[in-house]
Amino acid sequence: MRLIIAEKPSLARAIADALPGGGQRQEGAIVCGDTTVTWCLGHLLEQAAPEAYDPADKQWRLDRLPIVPGSWKLAPRAKARGQLAVIRKLIKQAAEVVHAGDPDREGQLLVQEVIEYLNYRGPVSRLLVSDLNRPAVARALSKLASNADFQPLFQAAQARSRADWLYGINLTRAWTLTGRQAGHDGVLSVGRVQTPVLGLIVRRDNAIRDFTPYPFYPLWVDIEVARGRLRAWWAPTERQPLDDQGRLVERAPADALAARLPGAEGRLAKLEQNEKRQNAPLPYSLSALQVDAARRFGLSAQTVLDVCQSLYERHKLITYPRSDCRYLPEEHLPLARKSLGGACRNDATLSEWLEGADFSLRSKAWNDKQVGAHHALAPTGKAADFATLSEMEAQVFRLVVRNVMAQFYPPLRTFEVKAEFHLLDEAFRARGQSVLDPGWKPLFTTKEDSPPLPPLTQGEPCRTREAGVEEKETRPPEPFTDASLIKAMMNIGRYVEDPEVRRTLRETDGLGTEATRAGIIETLVQRGYLVRKQKALRATKLGTALISALPAAVSTPERTALWEQRLSGIAEGSGDARAFQQALIDDLYGLLKQSDAGRLRSSLQTAQGEAAAPAKRIAQARKGAGKKTTRRKSTPARKTTRSSS
């Protein structure tokens, strides 16, 4: 008998439907001729508790830390014992086993750890399914690989699981026990990934809290040229009082210049005119989809993941969603017209987009060299029954279809102009853009980035008609949202302060994985470290106090980003799982020495006392900057702009 072990029942049913033999159901399995398909229920096994290694570690004690297993053990999850018993019985009868976990790091671990836990020693093949429709599953079944080829992926997943256990068990116990000494009654959870993510939010909240706004004063001029009028902005030089972004922070020089400008004559000193081509955004990875869906529809990262799983498993409308790839296999290109035609069949907007698609085009999205264990999210070609889809499912489905459809639209072509005018020995700059060919852009937005300028000629004379000074105010950085936090986790190098570490990070290095990022955010919310305020994610007093009390190495992303990089190296076959684990253990010894009840007590008290500080500080700053000023001509109303600090 050949035994196929799928990750979930939905995948098992899809595999059984693609096999000959009718598919006779029995307890926990489907029999299809000489092949039996069974399934896991997510993880059937978990890392054993500390007391499984030593009963003395059932009690939490600082003098027992760190707990480091000499030989690792797994234990059945309480709700999974029945299905594990089914697989145990079937695997004893199997002449061959097919590993059909999801095509990612965790999918490799989830099924392989069951196979090894049950001591199966026969041949193991690997089935990679990314599309649950019958033809796609049948094609996958015809291309089985050896599971041995995926051992680096398994070793990386196993190293991740053990690292999370070591880090979470030891540091959570250490800071929880320290918290009790500081007067906090409750578990203080510390995690290898969740804590640096919490640290990102706490530091952003602190920057917002400590931000003091100040005014600055842009000066505009309306200029008449040979073939029209335009608005330009003064570019003050360093002899003026400027901030670190080149903004004028005293009004007097702007007012003095504005008074002299009306009627002033000058010339167009510099002119740059370029035609630019911009290709369509690539098809989505899960994280990229979570970012866009959060921005467009206000959906949380976890909601997007849940919706994608429903579109994949229940409706069979999209391919495997937990992907970190934004490219598609080249063999999918000839099938794209058919799959997009099916996906668009029952929706007026999608059908309209389909009519404009040119399937003779080939974008850079079709690239086998960029595709690993899984590819970008794409429609399967099944026609959607929008009557059975929820509003969120329909919204996310259209996004997935749109980004693949956009690959068959021409590039966006624009004509961009940058002009610098010299008036009264000062420089004034203007920029504009005209659309030559909208290409793919109407599928995404109808808004133009900037209006066009009139036709210009290098060196032509100009004359000022009006001038004015605006009063704007700097703003603090925006709080994190699901969209911006997922993007930060994807591109963590931007938040790494150590320049040496930043240099070692690749663009693809991040915190967490496609499959775990949404769960990390929700875990922080559930544990009382984060709250959602409208779309914003803000740290609670407890979350702020914990980050303040922890060593910086635990709450900043540098170390975890490097660990994720090493895990990627293990998965690619270039890293050493044992060396990774030993380095983590060495770090643990140093970190545990830094637990300090006095510091934690002080952090908790400080967090309690800062609730009213931001509003009071901003009110005081605005009062100090609120002196009356005069304006030249028809100046727009007072505005604010965000500081990049």
Side-chain angles (χ1 to χ4, degrees):
M1 177 194 73
R2 180 175 67 164
L3 178 65
I4 300 178
I5 306 176
E7 181 164 329
K8 299 187 186 85
S10 57
L11 176 57
R13 288 192 296 270
I15 294 170
D17 288 344
L19 289 168
Q24 181 181 355
R25 285 186 167 273
Q26 63 181 44
E27 183 183 359
I30 306 171
V31 179
C32 306
D34 62 352
T35 298
T36 298
V37 184
T38 188
W39 54 83
C40 300
L41 303 167
H43 280 280
L44 298 182
L45 303 169
E46 60 187 357
Q47 293 293 338
E51 56 266 30
Y53 300 100
D54 189 332
D57 285 322
K58 187 171 185 178
Q59 182 181 4
W60 291 27
R61 289 170 46 186
L62 282 170
D63 61 359
R64 298 285 301 177
L65 303 179
I67 301 169
V68 179
S71 178
W72 289 87
K73 299 178 181 179
L74 294 172
R77 290 180 179 267
K79 295 182 179 180
R81 294 182 184 276
Q83 188 60 20
L84 188 62
V86 170
I87 300 175
R88 186 191 303 273
K89 179 180 177 181
L90 291 171
I91 209 167
K92 289 179 179 178
Q93 306 167 30
E96 176 191 358
V97 168
V98 178
H99 179 317
D102 282 351
D104 61 8
R105 196 167 76 184
E106 288 307 301
Q108 185 65 35
L109 174 69
L110 190 150
V111 174
Q112 185 166 334
E113 66 183 5
V114 170
I115 295 171
E116 294 188 358
Y117 181 79
L118 297 176
N119 295 313
Y120 176 76
R121 295 290 182 265
V124 181
S125 301
R126 185 65 165 98
L127 172 63
L128 297 171
V129 176
S130 59
D131 179 342
L132 295 185
N133 283 318
R134 183 179 294 180
V137 177
R139 286 195 300 271
L141 283 163
S142 70
K143 298 188 294 185
L144 294 180
S146 169
N147 192 57
D149 296 341
F150 297 85
Q151 289 315 289
L153 197 65
F154 170 73
Q155 291 165 4
Q158 187 181 65
R160 191 278 314 154
S161 177
R162 292 174 176 178
D164 285 347
W165 190 97
L166 285 167
Y167 208 79
I169 290 290
N170 285 292
L171 296 187
T172 295
R173 288 192 175 199
W175 261 265
T176 297
L177 293 169
T178 302
R180 290 177 188 171
Q181 296 172 3
H184 176 75
D185 185 18
V187 174
L188 291 176
S189 176
V190 181
R192 185 182 61 88
V193 179
Q194 73 173 41
T195 305
V197 172
L198 176 60
L200 288 177
I201 295 171
V202 169
R203 283 185 288 278
R204 175 63 60 85
D205 285 354
N206 289 345
I208 295 169
R209 180 199 67 203
D210 296 337
F211 184 82
T212 300
Y214 59 87
F216 64 99
Y217 305 96
L219 186 160
W220 54 266
V221 290
D222 284 344
I223 297 175
E224 188 174 80
V225 291
R227 288 180 282 180
R229 292 178 66 168
L230 57 87
R231 175 163 289 192
W233 299 85
W234 183 31
T237 61
E238 293 182 357
R239 66 176 182 269
Q240 304 294 343
L242 307 179
D243 67 7
D244 58 2
Q245 294 187 42
R247 297 176 297 203
L248 188 69
V249 294
E250 292 182 10
R251 180 161 190 145
D255 280 336
L257 180 57
R260 298 166 52 212
L261 278 167
E265 296 183 351
R267 67 184 183 91
L268 175 53
K270 296 179 183 178
L271 180 64
E272 293 181 22
Q273 302 182 99
N274 297 295
E275 180 179 328
K276 292 194 174 182
R277 295 165 62 92
Q278 183 180 352
N279 292 323
L282 290 168
Y284 284 118
S285 65
L286 174 61
S287 289
L289 177 59
Q290 287 169 322
V291 170
D292 271 9
R295 286 175 174 167
R296 185 174 287 262
F297 306 120
L299 303 181
S300 72
Q302 186 63 49
T303 297
V304 177
L305 176 56
D306 293 342
V307 166
C308 285
Q309 285 297 127
S310 177
L311 291 171
Y312 171 62
E313 294 181 3
R314 178 186 171 195
H315 300 288
K316 298 181 174 61
L317 291 175
I318 66 171
T319 57
Y320 177 72
R322 297 179 182 232
S323 172
D324 61 353
C325 179
R326 299 198 67 175
Y327 293 85
L328 294 166
E330 294 170 20
E331 66 177 15
H332 286 202
L333 180 58
L335 308 173
R337 182 193 294 267
K338 182 178 179 181
S339 63
L340 286 170
C344 299
R345 189 172 302 153
N346 297 327
D347 184 79
T349 300
L350 293 177
S351 296
E352 182 181 344
W353 291 349
L354 182 64
E355 290 179 6
D358 180 355
F359 288 96
S360 68
L361 299 176
R362 172 173 177 151
S363 79
K364 65 179 182 179
W366 316 94
N367 189 338
D368 286 344
K369 293 180 180 178
Q370 297 289 345
V371 176
H374 33 253
H375 57 69
L377 280 69
T380 61
K382 180 181 177 182
D385 181 358
F386 283 88
T388 66
L389 297 182
S390 69
E391 181 182 2
M392 289 185 294
E393 288 172 335
Q395 289 170 334
V396 172
F397 176 65
R398 289 189 184 100
L399 289 182
V400 172
V401 175
R402 181 198 66 181
N403 271 44
V404 177
M405 181 85 70
Q407 308 311 310
F408 299 101
Y409 275 70
L412 165 66
R413 291 175 50 234
T414 57
F415 187 70
E416 297 189 5
V417 179
K418 295 180 182 179
E420 183 175 302
F421 298 87
H422 287 181
L423 297 155
L424 302 179
D425 297 323
E426 298 287 346
F428 297 84
R429 293 173 183 156
R431 62 190 307 166
Q433 180 188 86
S434 56
V435 176
L436 303 177
D437 183 348
W440 52 268
K441 196 68 180 286
L443 276 65
F444 290 73
T445 180
T446 57
K447 184 184 75 171
E448 290 191 16
D449 293 332
S450 56
L453 299 180
L456 297 171
T457 304
Q458 175 82 39
E460 70 174 288
C462 63
R463 180 183 179 88
T464 301
R465 306 297 299 182
E466 294 181 285
V469 180
E470 291 186 4
E471 182 179 347
K472 294 186 177 182
E473 187 179 80
T474 57
R475 292 174 56 192
E478 296 285 351
F480 275 115
T481 62
D482 279 75
S484 59
L485 185 58
I486 288 287
K487 195 167 184 179
M489 294 167 74
M490 292 168 63
N491 305 285
I492 199 59
R494 299 175 186 176
Y495 298 86
V496 168
E497 296 181 1
D498 187 323
E500 291 188 13
V501 174
R502 193 186 303 119
R503 278 195 296 271
T504 69
L505 295 176
R506 302 167 296 186
E507 288 186 7
T508 55
D509 289 325
L511 292 183
T513 66
E514 306 293 321
T516 62
R517 286 173 184 143
I520 289 165
I521 297 172
E522 295 308 313
T523 294
L524 289 168
V525 172
Q526 292 164 9
R527 290 177 174 168
Y529 295 149
L530 295 183
V531 292
R532 280 192 172 88
K533 296 183 177 180
Q534 297 179 330
K535 292 183 179 181
L537 290 164
R538 307 301 293 261
T540 63
K541 295 174 184 176
L542 179 60
T544 301
L546 178 61
I547 293 302
S548 178
L550 286 167
V554 178
S555 65
T556 53
E558 280 84 343
R559 180 174 304 189
T560 304
L562 290 174
W563 284 346
E564 293 285 355
Q565 185 183 74
R566 294 187 69 177
L567 288 170
S568 296
I570 296 167
E572 294 161 5
S574 60
D576 186 329
R578 290 185 180 180
F580 168 77
Q581 181 175 305
Q582 187 56 54
L584 188 144
I585 292 169
D586 292 343
D587 281 340
L588 273 177
Y589 278 96
L591 294 172
L592 290 170
K593 293 177 182 177
Q594 299 180 54
S595 61
D596 185 331
R599 182 177 176 181
L600 183 55
R601 184 183 299 108
S602 175
S603 298
L604 288 165
Q605 292 170 348
T606 300
Q608 291 288 339
E610 289 181 339
K616 184 177 179 181
R617 183 167 26 252
I618 290 175
Q620 290 174 340
R622 285 180 174 166
K623 185 177 179 181
K627 58 184 180 181
K628 291 186 178 181
T629 56
T630 57
R631 293 180 181 171
R632 180 74 175 170
K633 299 288 183 180
S634 54
T635 307
R638 179 184 179 96
K639 298 181 180 179
T640 59
T641 188
R642 181 167 59 254
S643 168
S644 63
S645 61

